[in-house]
Amino acid sequence: MLNHCFLCRNEDLKEMLESSKESLKLEAMKRIVGLIAKGKNASELFPAVVKNVASKNIELKKLVYVYLVRYAEEQQDLALLSISTFQRALKDPNQLIRASALRVLSSIRVPIIVPIMMLSIKEASTDLSPYVRKTAAHAIQKLYSLDPDQKEHLIEVIEKLLKDKSTLVAGSVVMAFEEVCPDRIDLIHKNYRKLCNLLVDVEEWGQVVIIHMLTRYARTQFVSPWREDAVFDENSEKAFYDSEEERRVEQSKPYIMDPDHRLLLRNTKPLLQSRNTAVVMAVSQLYWHLAPTHELSIITKSLVRLLRSHREVQYIVLQNIATMSIQRKGMFEPFMKSFYVRSTDATHIKTLKLEILTNLANEANISTILREFQTYVKSQDKAFAAATIQAIGRCATNISEVTDTCLNGLVLLLSNRDETVVAESVVVIKKLLQTQPSQHSDIIKHMAKLFDNITVSMARASILWLMGEYCEHVPKIAPDVLRKMAKTFTSEEDIVKLQTVNLAAKLYLTNSKQTKLLTQYILNLGKYDQSYDIRDRTRFIRQLIVPNEKSGALSKYARRILMAPKPAPVLQSAFKDRDRFQLGTLSHSLNSQANGYLELSDWPAVAPDQSVRIVEVVEPVKEAGAPVFGKSKPGKSDEKFYSDSEEEEEEEEEGSSSEDSSSSSSEESESESESEENSDDSNKSSSSQSDSEKKKKTLKNKKLQQQKPDSKDRTKFFLMHIVLSFSNQFVASCRCSLLCLYVFLVCQFDTISWDVRVSLQASSPVFVPETSRELLHRMTGKGLSAQYRFTRQPCIYGNSMVSLQLTLSNSSDQALENIHISEKSSTGQNIHRFNAIERLEPQASVTVSMGVDFNDSTQAANFQLCTKEDEFSVSIQPAVGELLLPITMSEADFTKEQIYNKITKTLKLNLNEIPCGLSVWLANDRLGTGNLFKNNNLLKCYKYLNI
Amino acid sequence: MIHSLFLINNAGDLFLEKHWKSVISRSICDYFFEAREKAVEPDNVPPVIRSPHHYLINIYREKIFFVSVIQTEVPPLFVIEFLHRVAETFQDYFGECSETTIKDNVVIVYELLEEMLDNGFPLATESNILKELIRPPTILRSMVNTITGSSNVGETLPTGQLSSIPWRRAGVKYTNNEAYFDVVEEIDAILDKSGTTVFAEIQGVIDACVKLSGMPDLSLSFMNPRLLDDVSFHPCVRYKRWESERVISFIPPDGNFQLMSYHISAQNLVAIPIYVKQNISFFETGSSGRLDITVGPKQTMGKTVECLVVTVHMPKVVLSANLNATQGTYNYDPVTKILLWDIGKLNPQKLPNLKGSLSLQSGAPKPEESPSLNIDLKIQQLAISGLKVNRLDMYGEKYKPFKGVKYVTKAGKFQVRT
């Protein structure tokens, strides 16, 4: 009946879908989605639904997509009908539509369309929209799970997308990398520094994935920082380590952290402040696995902060803290009180907190912890109270000073009303007594008295074992306990029975006179017990202790076997072995390896080649024989600066630097890697942390990424080295750092300036506005009106001139004669005048062109427009954009130039001081402003500079 | 990553399922139900459950279990954080996150889930992006939609998605430009029997409601930023500025959001606004007990303590309570064994007192444990740590916004042991 109804309803849905009314269709789809959500089967509507895939209504379309993704796998043939729609949508001008088409296409798990998917992914990976590229990265994983044979092709796409500079793509492509080819570490090398630098700007989910991947990467590429003689570039420690180092300098070379390793640690640190708990945990585990020990403490606060979050978050974080606190008590000890248990906590949270408190216990704080534990023992949550007793036991064994106190406390608990508390106490006392049995026969006696009231089998078994083991200390009580047990033997639990048999055997050996019969009785009972364990044990014991002709040599040693001194059990944390898993992972949480868990490798003994991470920038093609101008300038400007600074000692270096820069192309003396190292060294030794220094560092990092392996670059590095060593000499002064930065910039300009100039080639403007601006109104011009516009063409009158088009018209009723520009120009701009117009008839107009050299400034050019009778003062105020020469340059070059420009501006240096007004000419009109915002590096640069 | 999501209510009914990869049968939830049964209380369900081929990571929120199915290794916090984000999005869209609202808006829920994850990896979780993709339901819009047939779904990619500030959309316009900040501090404390502080700390958040046109760039500074021990920020805050100048500089999201949270640790003496004198005892014979609680002000900085509520979790053997309150009302729930005393405003002249007898289950032994008291309170116009906002400046826009800061102190996990 129900089924029938359901079918009826489906019929009516089908009708609605087939109607021509959009709203009816939408309504039907909404109901269908409702069915899917409830988990009801709506697959038979497939043909009716799939027809609407090309609908214009975007909500309807989206709902159809939802349906398709859900059922396509079941109805493969019909699903194929929709493919062409998606293929069309992939070419749509709207990026959202392209992206969602790719999303759905790749989510349809139909093996036949694998080639189509592959093609679409490849196409989308080169899409202009980063959003579509992000979708492509997601599609890679989907295709891989559908058809693992495509792996090779997919890796190619991943490789391409890894190079993507968009923060939007980074997280998704690393995710794809982790799923498809986590072992292809070589793909990461070239992108390592980029990923580190982008990290802060990537969306939070991407950050988690990237951080986990980089943790694995770093463990394969860098050497361990956990050496005692390590020297770090966080300078404050340096002096301290130096003294220690001197003693053992002979034995080994001191550890110096790879700058890339440092880069990762530095760039992840701010993320500890993220609001996303997963990000904080990811950074914490990265520090745990990669950071030198003394830097580890910074993660503590953040982890403790997470404890304020939701219950589930607390659970995971506490698990990780529990593992950490075993190895490094000191990290969490100051925050001990944050782990105090509240009565409202969930049980698993309570147990974890207890675990951590126990791990943190030491001689100094044990009394505080024990006082806290006393409160917990009284808790209403009995399972928790029992766990507390175990924790007390652990503290007692670990810290010998308090063993007696704990033991006394536990004995007091034996009179507790609650069964579980008493039982747990018994078990823990048993373990404690094992460490020092002789002094505590009174406790054993006390427990024997309690024996009748205890029903928990584990506790009973524990008491029996104690009796047997230390029967010599309680010679009178033990046989009596055995007697009682003989009475109730049949109704006991297995574990109690086993211990009874043990007790009987031990008593038989020590006190056979009193217990011989009892033992035999118990052994007989055991012989016919239901459990084979008991029967087995009984048989074994009988053969061992009761001498008869069959029992050979073994019974001679029975006493030594049974009464052998047993080592005390070691009470240790359940989290002891969890550190084999990477922290923060599912495997760690479960304490067993999850599917797809990637082992964190050990540090390599010797670091692999560092140079693999150096990124080469493709140089723009140079034109042969292009004029090289401005090459002689650099030296001068350097000198000017140095004389300003008035530092005598720099004279030498100054000379060399200017020399080097002028002979840049022939400078071959230093190898690249060497210079890199040098610059790093000098950086390390500088102790100033002033802001400007940071800026410089950033800048340097940028430079490192953009190294070009030619000789000019070497010079660049050399110069940089000089600059950086300068900074060491007057680190304290911020002003000086700025000056250094300036030197650096100047040097940069020197070395690259002609580089760029060579490739500087005017291109045609993308857009020339048609609108003209008014120069002279007809009223003021007594009939003569003039309009001008910028043509944005290279000026034919001179390189530095901007070409203008002037339209002169005569709106008076008589002809105007001899229209020209007067010879005297008021502001001194160089103007190329148009040839005088002899005569302009009424209502006629004429167009002429002229050139003005604005001297790269936006100062208005004032001049006189004359007719035969009158003179009119006019002025042309250019917009900045009109002064620029449109050129084409690669994005990389652009970035480079942008950075120099921005920094020079920040420093408020006079642009004119920089050889040739390069900066103005480099910015690239409209294209430039567009790029300004697209370009991530630049945005980053902004951030660092706090502009 | 996240394979499927099941929503299960407190009664154990599975009322919504969504799959991002191939369909996983809902029978997988049996492992969850098993754990749920074992845990008794919903709070005690372990967040990570293992089944032979899958892992179930769940959160419990607003009486709904969000159970996600995972097949491969993934940081569990990643999933937990995401599930909470889902719940928050529902709350944001429908006003509350409950079974009824989810069922009523199942289509929007589905559309949201579809946008939030692609192939199990988060795609758009920023509420301002989602709201451009899928418009939240309002009564007016749903009426208009039924009449005109227009949809809730945006047609173009939200501007925020591509920009470097994904949390703010372009072209925001308000006639009244206003920015309000609420400094909310919660005192977490454990006091022992004698009233001494075992542990105390302050957790604060700054909630913002910013309705400003255009792209305002705000910076907020404190009189005493050194108080803040540990901070975490909304992604919009420029961390470098904070590091160097202790100024919170940011381009705010539009509307309500949490700007930052901070922590003031126990080292700086935390002021405890009230004291509690209590005496709860049970007699050895006669199956009865006595209760006497008095609350009084301690360090309130001259402000009034409001909304004072005392909650006592009684031992299981307590059957009923016959008490007399000098102020406010009390209520004892014999099922949950919770005694709730709603005091209201604390009058320092006449201290509120709750006194009377408790009757226990006859024959049952006297309970060993002593119940602990949970306190709830509120103090308006006071940040107990003494944190003060110095000024708020706006750059980048020309208009003059209306600015306001409010301070509130609340009790967080405030517990008195007996």
Side-chain angles (χ1 to χ4, degrees):
Chain A
M1 183 63 200
L2 207 78
N3 203 9
H4 179 68
C5 265
F6 183 66
L7 280 180
C8 286
R9 224 174 73 207
N10 275 358
E11 277 311 311
D12 119 88
L13 281 173
K14 222 179 255 177
E15 243 165 60
M16 285 166 82
L17 282 171
E18 267 151 26
S19 82
S20 55
K21 264 196 187 161
E22 205 88 306
S23 58
L24 269 182
K25 285 184 182 177
L26 193 60
E27 184 54 39
M29 275 320 292
K30 282 185 176 174
R31 276 164 60 184
I32 293 171
V33 167
L35 288 178
I36 296 175
K38 277 189 211 118
K40 300 221 168 76
N41 188 5
S43 60
E44 51 183 31
L45 291 162
F46 203 94
V49 173
V50 96
K51 272 182 213 158
N52 292 304
V53 74
S55 163
K56 287 272 182 300
N57 183 327
I58 195 133
E59 186 169 23
L60 180 60
K61 195 146 94 177
K62 280 210 165 164
L63 295 179
V64 173
Y65 286 178
V66 168
Y67 182 91
L68 254 178
V69 172
R70 170 70 179 76
Y71 287 112
E73 213 170 2
E74 296 171 27
Q75 312 246 357
Q76 307 215 345
D77 294 344
L78 282 169
L80 291 179
L81 294 175
S82 59
I83 302 298
S84 62
T85 323
F86 297 127
Q87 282 179 300
R88 223 174 308 129
L90 281 172
K91 304 265 186 304
D92 197 283
N94 183 338
Q95 48 183 344
L96 183 65
I97 293 182
R98 284 205 301 277
S100 67
L102 182 63
R103 271 181 70 186
V104 181
L105 182 69
S106 53
S107 300
I108 295 176
R109 288 165 293 273
V110 179
I112 288 184
I113 63 161
V114 164
I116 298 178
M117 274 163 79
M118 193 65 227
L119 211 67
S120 328
I121 289 173
K122 275 191 179 156
E123 229 161 74
S125 67
T126 55
D127 199 292
L128 278 180
S129 156
Y131 184 68
V132 178
R133 296 202 296 274
K134 183 187 178 76
T135 325
H138 288 180
I140 292 172
Q141 305 160 51
K142 299 183 208 169
L143 181 55
Y144 180 65
S145 63
L146 185 66
D147 182 8
D149 293 343
Q150 300 291 326
K151 190 171 173 177
E152 287 312 309
H153 299 287
L154 289 175
I155 290 176
E156 279 169 31
V157 184
I158 290 175
E159 194 173 359
K160 196 160 52 183
L161 283 174
L162 273 172
K163 293 201 182 92
D164 204 306
K165 287 198 177 66
S166 165
T167 50
L168 206 56
V169 185
S172 302
V173 68
V174 170
M175 188 64 227
F177 170 83
E178 291 279 79
E179 277 204 5
V180 179
C181 51
D183 47 337
R184 287 290 302 274
I185 271 286
D186 56 301
L187 297 180
I188 303 299
H189 291 322
K190 288 260 182 281
N191 300 298
Y192 173 81
R193 287 173 192 170
K194 184 197 75 190
L195 283 174
C196 286
N197 287 321
L198 283 185
L199 199 56
V200 189
D201 296 322
V202 174
E203 35 87 39
E204 42 197 351
W205 310 108
Q207 285 172 346
V208 179
V209 177
I210 295 177
I211 291 171
H212 274 271
M213 188 276 287
L214 288 179
T215 312
R216 264 191 323 114
Y217 177 85
R219 280 293 278 260
T220 60
Q221 298 299 316
F222 307 128
V223 288
S224 167
W226 301 331
R227 278 174 34 182
E228 279 178 34
D229 56 345
V231 177
F232 300 98
D233 55 358
E234 302 284 314
N235 319 298
S236 50
E237 274 85 5
K238 203 170 176 206
F240 168 73
Y241 278 100
D242 268 353
S243 57
E244 210 173 85
E245 199 188 321
E246 265 158 341
R247 269 178 268 135
R248 53 182 115 165
V249 77
E250 262 68 46
Q251 299 153 12
S252 62
K253 201 170 67 178
Y255 166 81
I256 292 166
M257 188 181 265
D258 188 308
D260 285 327
H261 190 167
R262 174 54 65 200
L263 177 74
L264 178 61
L265 292 176
R266 196 168 43 220
N267 284 3
T268 46
K269 193 179 152 198
L271 296 178
L272 280 174
Q273 255 62 42
S274 172
R275 64 162 171 177
N276 189 319
T277 57
V279 176
V280 178
M281 189 65 232
V283 178
S284 305
Q285 66 85 23
L286 180 131
Y287 263 78
W288 177 259
H289 291 292
L290 298 179
T293 326
H294 68 279
E295 281 171 47
L296 207 56
S297 54
I298 62 160
I299 66 173
T300 318
K301 261 186 194 173
S302 308
L303 283 174
V304 172
R305 184 183 69 232
L306 297 190
L307 296 180
R308 272 286 292 185
S309 197
H310 302 284
R311 181 181 62 92
E312 298 83 5
V313 175
Q314 285 182 35
Y315 175 72
I316 304 290
V317 173
L318 286 171
Q319 280 187 326
N320 285 294
I321 292 179
T323 307
M324 290 184 191
S325 61
I326 292 173
Q327 279 187 39
R328 300 203 199 295
K329 279 185 187 182
M331 259 176 87
F332 293 97
E333 219 191 299
F335 296 89
M336 195 176 78
K337 287 190 172 175
S338 304
F339 303 107
Y340 279 7
V341 175
R342 291 157 208 282
S343 59
T344 40
D345 286 334
T347 310
H348 50 253
I349 304 278
K350 286 183 190 163
T351 0
L352 281 170
K353 282 186 172 172
L354 200 61
E355 174 71 41
I356 294 168
L357 284 176
T358 319
N359 289 342
L360 293 182
N362 59 24
E363 284 85 354
N365 60 22
I366 184 68
S367 56
T368 328
I369 289 184
L370 281 180
R371 207 173 320 129
E372 188 65 16
F373 281 176
Q374 275 172 17
T375 337
Y376 300 165
V377 168
K378 287 187 220 144
S379 161
Q380 301 190 29
D381 184 345
K382 288 305 157 204
F384 172 58
T388 309
I389 293 166
Q390 276 186 5
I392 293 174
R394 251 179 68 200
C395 290
T397 46
N398 294 342
I399 302 161
S400 50
E401 280 94 331
V402 292
T403 314
D404 287 337
T405 334
C406 289
L407 204 53
N408 290 336
L410 288 171
V411 171
L412 284 181
L413 284 178
L414 289 176
S415 50
N416 196 295
R417 275 213 192 78
D418 193 84
E419 178 82 317
T420 38
V421 172
V422 176
E424 202 63 46
S425 312
V426 169
V427 176
V428 174
I429 289 174
K430 175 211 138 195
K431 286 179 185 163
L432 284 183
L433 284 184
Q434 251 179 290
T435 52
Q436 43 197 164
S438 50
Q439 311 146 23
H440 297 292
S441 50
D442 48 336
I443 294 178
I444 300 175
K445 278 178 201 152
H446 181 67
M447 285 166 81
K449 279 181 208 148
L450 280 174
F451 186 73
D452 294 337
N453 301 324
I454 293 174
T455 53
V456 176
S457 52
M458 189 62 206
R460 285 175 78 85
S462 294
I463 295 180
L464 288 175
W465 184 88
L466 272 178
M467 294 293 143
E469 192 63 23
Y470 307 114
C471 51
E472 276 151 342
H473 300 291
V474 283
K476 290 201 178 113
I477 299 169
D480 193 50
V481 172
L482 188 65
R483 180 186 59 79
K484 283 182 193 158
M485 279 315 294
K487 249 197 258 176
T488 56
F489 186 84
T490 45
S491 55
E492 294 290 347
E493 294 266 341
D494 281 2
I495 184 166
V496 184
K497 286 178 182 167
L498 283 178
Q499 287 309 328
T500 315
V501 174
N502 273 350
L503 174 64
K506 284 173 186 166
L507 282 178
Y508 182 84
L509 289 176
T510 52
N511 189 2
S512 59
K513 207 161 59 179
Q514 272 188 309
T515 57
K516 192 174 180 185
L517 286 171
L518 269 175
T519 308
Q520 266 169 4
Y521 175 68
I522 284 169
L523 289 179
N524 279 335
L525 283 177
K527 196 175 173 185
Y528 300 105
D529 197 87
Q530 276 187 328
S531 159
Y532 49 78
D533 270 346
I534 312 263
R535 295 200 298 273
D536 204 41
R537 176 71 62 88
T538 319
R539 212 169 295 131
F540 162 71
I541 293 287
R542 188 189 290 275
Q543 293 301 319
L544 192 61
I545 59 171
V546 186
N548 58 11
E549 59 279 3
K550 273 188 250 166
S551 68
L554 206 56
S555 60
K556 269 188 252 163
Y557 302 106
R559 198 185 164 89
R560 275 169 71 186
I561 291 170
L562 282 172
M563 302 304 281
K566 286 141 191 111
V570 184
L571 300 177
Q572 59 184 14
S573 167
F575 283 80
K576 188 92 189 156
D577 57 341
R578 287 219 186 179
D579 55 356
R580 66 201 155 116
F581 295 112
Q582 188 177 351
L583 289 185
T585 59
L586 184 62
S587 306
H588 174 269
S589 186
L590 292 167
N591 198 18
S592 75
Q593 189 156 338
N595 298 334
Y597 172 76
L598 298 163
E599 197 91 31
L600 205 59
S601 68
D602 271 337
W603 298 100
V606 182
D609 188 10
Q610 306 179 357
S611 60
V612 289
R613 286 185 290 277
I614 295 168
V615 185
E616 291 169 22
V617 174
V618 187
E619 247 183 300
V621 188
K622 282 188 211 164
E623 270 180 59
V628 180
F629 51 95
K631 206 190 163 183
S632 54
K633 280 185 183 178
K636 275 187 231 157
S637 75
D638 273 4
E639 257 158 31
K640 189 178 164 207
F641 162 69
Y642 290 126
S643 52
D644 275 352
S645 75
E646 289 172 4
E647 292 271 338
E648 290 293 310
E649 47 184 307
E650 259 98 66
E651 286 298 325
E652 262 181 46
E653 274 168 286
E654 169 229 288
S656 67
S657 76
S658 55
E659 217 174 82
D660 287 334
S661 54
S662 53
S663 62
S664 55
S665 50
S666 60
E667 175 66 56
E668 296 281 343
S669 61
E670 260 180 305
S671 81
E672 197 177 298
S673 59
E674 250 174 21
S675 59
E676 189 192 346
E677 237 175 59
N678 282 339
S679 61
D680 277 329
D681 282 352
S682 53
N683 191 15
K684 265 171 228 158
S685 51
S686 79
S687 61
S688 159
Q689 286 293 328
S690 73
D691 231 18
S692 55
E693 267 246 319
K694 273 187 208 154
K695 280 178 206 168
K696 196 177 61 209
K697 274 189 196 165
T698 329
L699 201 81
K700 192 202 73 193
N701 286 336
K702 289 238 153 61
K703 288 271 90 37
L704 286 174
Q705 280 176 27
Q706 292 171 350
Q707 289 163 39
K708 282 179 252 177
D710 64 4
S711 52
K712 275 190 283 324
D713 242 85
R714 253 157 248 162
T715 325
K716 216 192 284 179
F717 269 115
F718 188 67
L719 287 168
M720 209 156 68
H721 178 50
I722 294 169
V723 172
L724 290 168
S725 49
F726 269 140
S727 66
N728 296 339
Q729 287 161 7
F730 31 60
V731 271
S733 153
C734 187
R735 192 177 57 90
C736 289
S737 303
L738 283 177
L739 287 173
C740 286
L741 193 54
Y742 176 66
V743 179
F744 175 52
L745 281 169
V746 172
C747 299
Q748 289 299 336
F749 275 117
D750 292 344
T751 44
I752 51 100
S753 60
W754 64 266
D755 221 36
V756 176
R757 276 157 179 259
V758 169
S759 60
L760 239 177
Q761 218 196 348
S763 62
S764 58
V766 182
F767 168 72
V768 181
E770 290 300 317
T771 52
S772 326
R773 267 167 270 186
E774 183 124 284
L775 186 64
L776 181 64
H777 193 261
R778 66 187 158 89
M779 297 307 286
T780 38
K782 296 177 182 165
L784 175 70
S785 69
Q787 292 191 306
Y788 71 96
R789 72 182 186 92
F790 292 93
T791 58
R792 300 194 179 171
Q793 299 298 331
C795 189
I796 48 170
Y797 309 117
N799 270 338
S800 55
M801 283 191 176
V802 176
S803 81
L804 280 161
Q805 199 177 58
L806 236 53
T807 309
L808 305 161
S809 37
N810 184 354
S811 49
S812 66
D813 41 9
Q814 44 194 285
L816 296 166
E817 286 178 20
N818 192 20
I819 305 170
H820 65 279
I821 294 173
S822 96
E823 294 293 322
K824 43 180 199 252
S825 162
S826 52
T827 40
Q829 277 108 340
N830 190 9
I831 298 175
H832 188 277
R833 296 164 187 81
F834 55 89
N835 295 333
I837 298 158
E838 307 259 298
R839 185 184 171 82
L840 193 60
E841 293 299 330
Q843 308 309 324
S845 65
V846 64
T847 306
V848 291
S849 65
M850 60 182 290
V852 180
D853 185 351
F854 286 101
N855 295 332
D856 294 343
S857 78
T858 53
Q859 207 180 4
N862 298 320
F863 54 90
Q864 259 77 35
L865 195 61
C866 312
T867 62
K868 205 171 149 196
E869 290 93 24
D870 297 293
E871 283 193 2
F872 309 107
S873 282
V874 291
S875 80
I876 296 177
Q877 170 106 45
V880 186
E882 304 292 357
L883 297 175
L884 304 179
L885 181 68
I887 56 163
T888 315
M889 57 165 64
S890 73
E891 195 181 326
D893 283 338
F894 177 70
T895 320
K896 211 154 54 186
E897 299 315 325
Q898 279 288 4
I899 291 162
Y900 302 146
N901 286 336
K902 287 303 157 200
I903 291 162
T904 45
K905 273 184 200 160
T906 333
L907 296 174
K908 298 201 172 61
L909 291 171
N910 189 349
L911 281 175
N912 294 336
E913 266 181 358
I914 295 170
C916 25
L918 193 63
S919 49
V920 177
W921 284 93
L922 288 171
N924 176 350
D925 201 7
R926 259 129 254 275
L927 270 173
T929 39
N931 275 353
L932 202 81
F933 295 107
K934 271 188 209 156
N935 196 296
N936 277 316
N937 278 336
L938 191 63
L939 280 175
K940 205 162 222 146
C941 181
Y942 267 126
K943 269 198 182 169
Y944 279 114
L945 295 172
N946 281 329
I947 303 174
Chain B
M1 289 226 144
I2 299 169
H3 218 289
S4 303
L5 175 70
F6 297 99
L7 299 190
I8 297 167
N9 67 13
N10 226 347
D13 299 325
L14 201 166
F15 63 93
L16 187 116
E17 63 178 72
K18 168 88 182 116
H19 308 274
W20 284 276
K21 299 183 184 184
S22 350
V23 179
I24 291 177
S25 155
R26 52 165 69 192
S27 62
I28 189 80
C29 292
D30 292 348
Y31 292 97
F32 168 77
F33 291 127
E34 202 179 299
R36 166 79 182 79
E37 214 152 286
K38 221 157 95 195
V40 189
E41 289 290 315
D43 269 340
N44 288 345
V45 178
V48 184
I49 301 168
R50 186 188 348 203
S51 84
H53 300 290
H54 299 89
Y55 308 96
L56 303 175
I57 296 183
N58 68 82
I59 65 162
Y60 179 64
R61 233 182 121 144
E62 326 288 336
K63 300 198 171 114
I64 301 171
F65 285 100
F66 291 70
V67 183
S68 64
V69 184
I70 313 292
Q71 260 185 326
T72 51
E73 171 64 53
V74 59
L77 270 186
F78 184 98
V79 183
I80 289 169
E81 179 78 26
F82 176 78
L83 293 178
H84 279 293
R85 211 57 79 79
V86 170
E88 272 150 30
T89 309
F90 289 167
Q91 209 151 17
D92 193 23
Y93 264 72
F94 313 127
E96 56 161 357
C97 173
S98 70
E99 190 186 347
T100 9
T101 48
I102 291 175
K103 275 180 172 167
D104 288 348
N105 296 290
V106 73
V107 175
I108 294 184
V109 165
Y110 236 70
E111 284 169 346
L112 278 174
L113 290 176
E114 187 72 32
E115 286 305 330
M116 290 181 86
L117 278 186
D118 182 17
N119 195 37
F121 189 79
L123 192 60
T125 49
E126 217 36 82
S127 104
N128 112 79
I129 290 180
L130 284 171
K131 280 187 175 159
E132 276 185 73
L133 283 170
I134 300 148
R135 292 178 197 113
T138 57
I139 297 169
L140 183 70
R141 186 170 297 126
S142 59
M143 262 166 57
V144 171
N145 286 353
T146 19
I147 297 162
T148 60
S150 61
S151 70
N152 282 328
V153 178
E155 301 198 15
T156 47
L157 190 69
T159 44
Q161 182 71 279
L162 292 176
S163 76
S164 56
I165 36 175
W167 55 85
R168 190 177 180 89
R169 65 194 162 91
V172 183
K173 266 217 171 75
Y174 287 102
T175 43
N176 294 326
N177 289 297
E178 34 189 34
Y180 297 111
F181 295 89
D182 289 2
V183 180
V184 184
E185 294 197 338
E186 295 193 351
I187 310 168
D188 284 5
I190 302 176
L191 306 183
D192 74 1
K193 212 180 219 165
S194 57
T196 35
T197 314
V198 177
F199 163 76
E201 62 178 17
I202 296 171
Q203 301 283 349
V205 295
I206 298 183
D207 284 322
C209 174
V210 178
K211 292 180 174 169
L212 299 174
S213 316
M215 273 289 166
D217 196 330
L218 302 177
S219 63
L220 182 91
S221 60
F222 297 105
M223 303 276 258
N224 37 10
R226 301 185 66 192
L227 269 180
L228 305 178
D229 204 30
D230 178 48
V231 285
S232 83
F233 296 118
H234 189 276
C236 69
V237 176
R238 296 181 183 98
Y239 182 68
K240 297 259 172 202
R241 275 293 294 281
W242 170 256
E243 279 287 84
S244 56
E245 301 165 48
R246 300 274 138 175
V247 166
I248 301 178
S249 151
F250 59 103
I251 294 176
D254 187 30
N256 293 310
F257 66 100
Q258 190 181 89
L259 178 65
M260 69 180 289
S261 65
Y262 59 88
H263 176 105
I264 291 168
S265 74
Q267 278 96 342
N268 315 339
L269 282 171
V270 177
I272 304 291
I274 56 157
Y275 70 86
V276 181
K277 270 192 205 153
Q278 40 73 30
N279 181 20
I280 302 174
S281 55
F282 302 102
F283 304 123
E284 284 295 341
T285 53
S287 323
S288 68
R290 204 177 53 215
L291 180 142
D292 186 352
I293 306 173
T294 312
V295 187
K298 206 170 166 189
Q299 291 161 284
T300 58
M301 324 269 171
K303 310 270 184 198
T304 347
V305 180
E306 296 168 39
C307 305
L308 192 59
V309 178
V310 178
T311 319
V312 190
H313 291 259
M314 287 293 179
K316 285 195 184 66
V317 290
V318 177
L319 279 184
S320 67
N322 182 17
L323 306 168
N324 185 23
T326 59
Q327 187 188 342
T329 51
Y330 81 93
N331 176 35
Y332 180 67
D333 183 348
V335 182
T336 53
K337 309 285 179 199
I338 290 174
L339 173 72
L340 200 106
W341 179 27
D342 190 343
I343 300 169
K345 230 177 224 169
L346 182 66
N347 181 0
Q349 268 76 50
K350 194 166 158 288
L351 299 181
N353 170 267
L354 182 71
K355 205 170 175 178
S357 62
L358 305 166
S359 59
L360 309 183
Q361 214 171 325
S362 56
K366 166 195 157 191
E368 282 280 326
E369 69 271 358
S370 35
S372 58
L373 275 58
N374 288 302
I375 313 283
D376 213 359
L377 58 85
K378 201 167 165 184
I379 307 172
Q380 301 279 9
Q381 302 304 329
L382 173 72
I384 197 92
S385 66
L387 186 76
K388 271 222 151 56
V389 173
N390 184 22
R391 55 184 297 145
L392 177 77
D393 296 307
M394 185 179 74
Y395 306 97
E397 294 290 333
K398 294 214 169 58
Y399 55 83
K400 220 170 169 269
F402 189 80
K403 303 174 275 195
V405 181
K406 208 170 81 185
Y407 300 92
V408 183
T409 297
K410 290 179 185 169
K413 297 171 180 166
F414 196 109
Q415 199 167 74
V416 182
R417 290 175 178 167
T418 58

